[in-house]
Amino acid sequence: MSQALSSQAVVAVVGTGAMGAGIAQVAAAAGHTVRLLDNRPGAAQAAIDGIRAQFDKMVAKGKMSTEASAAAAARLHAAAQLGDLADAALVVEAIVESLAAKQKLYSELEAIVSGACIFGTNTSSISVTAIGAALKHPERLAGLHFFNPAPLMALVEVVSGLATERSVADTLFATATAWGKT
């Protein structure tokens, strides 16, 4: 079985609505530098502000130390464009439920990130195989479906497409587990 991504690995989250922001919160709390990207102006920074407020609430409830909250908040960064995600080891997409939009995003990302970068789609309604069909390397794509709200719900589904490499699914499984998910 593969190992979880190192906490030193950069995680990118594309789409900063409720799901994307929740996933970013989980990854930052687990120790990852997280880059958030959204096509809506100001949305990534707004998501970061909201996540920081959630960390503050956790401190107030005694569920997180002030130091841990500050460290996790400092790991959150807004990205202005896809090129800002070039160093990501994992890109989790939580954009609109549109096959064409997801295929376009991942096709563009393939030209930007390293060949070792894993793609995780948070979709629950579109086939991972269909999304991957537009990629040069569909073996790097798997479903990484969080339940809402991602910081509170323990369950995460790891879904392989027909082309998904076993090591990719295993790494996502181990990473979700390391993030405290079932």
Side-chain angles (χ1 to χ4, degrees), residues 7-162:
S7 63
Q8 302 304 308
V10 173
V11 174
V13 178
V14 181
T16 62
M19 289 308 301
I23 294 164
Q25 179 179 332
V26 170
H32 295 273
T33 295
V34 180
R35 301 195 202 300
L36 292 93
L37 179 67
D38 199 292
N39 63 359
R40 298 168 296 150
Q45 187 58 53
I48 289 170
D49 294 343
I51 295 166
R52 289 179 175 156
Q54 289 301 314
F55 288 149
D56 290 343
K57 287 180 184 177
M58 292 173 73
V59 170
K61 293 179 180 180
K63 295 183 177 187
M64 183 179 231
S65 72
T66 302
E67 296 78 16
S69 171
R75 290 189 284 268
L76 296 164
H77 306 279
Q81 58 191 1
L82 281 178
D84 296 339
L85 310 182
D87 62 344
L90 169 62
V91 177
V92 181
E93 161 272 311
I95 65 171
V96 64
E97 287 293 290
S98 159
L99 176 61
K102 291 175 188 301
Q103 288 177 327
K104 181 178 184 291
L105 171 66
Y106 285 123
S107 292
E108 291 173 357
L109 282 167
E110 273 191 310
I112 294 168
V113 299
S114 79
C117 181
I118 295 173
F119 294 154
T121 177
N122 190 58
T123 189
S124 62
S125 63
I126 299 175
S127 161
V128 172
T129 300
I131 296 169
L135 301 179
K136 292 177 185 167
H137 298 284
E139 65 274 7
R140 72 197 306 185
L141 173 71
L144 186 63
H145 178 235
F146 288 77
F147 288 77
N148 194 17
L152 299 179
M153 299 297 285
L155 188 61
V156 171
E157 294 176 315
V158 176
V159 181
S160 293
L162 290 176

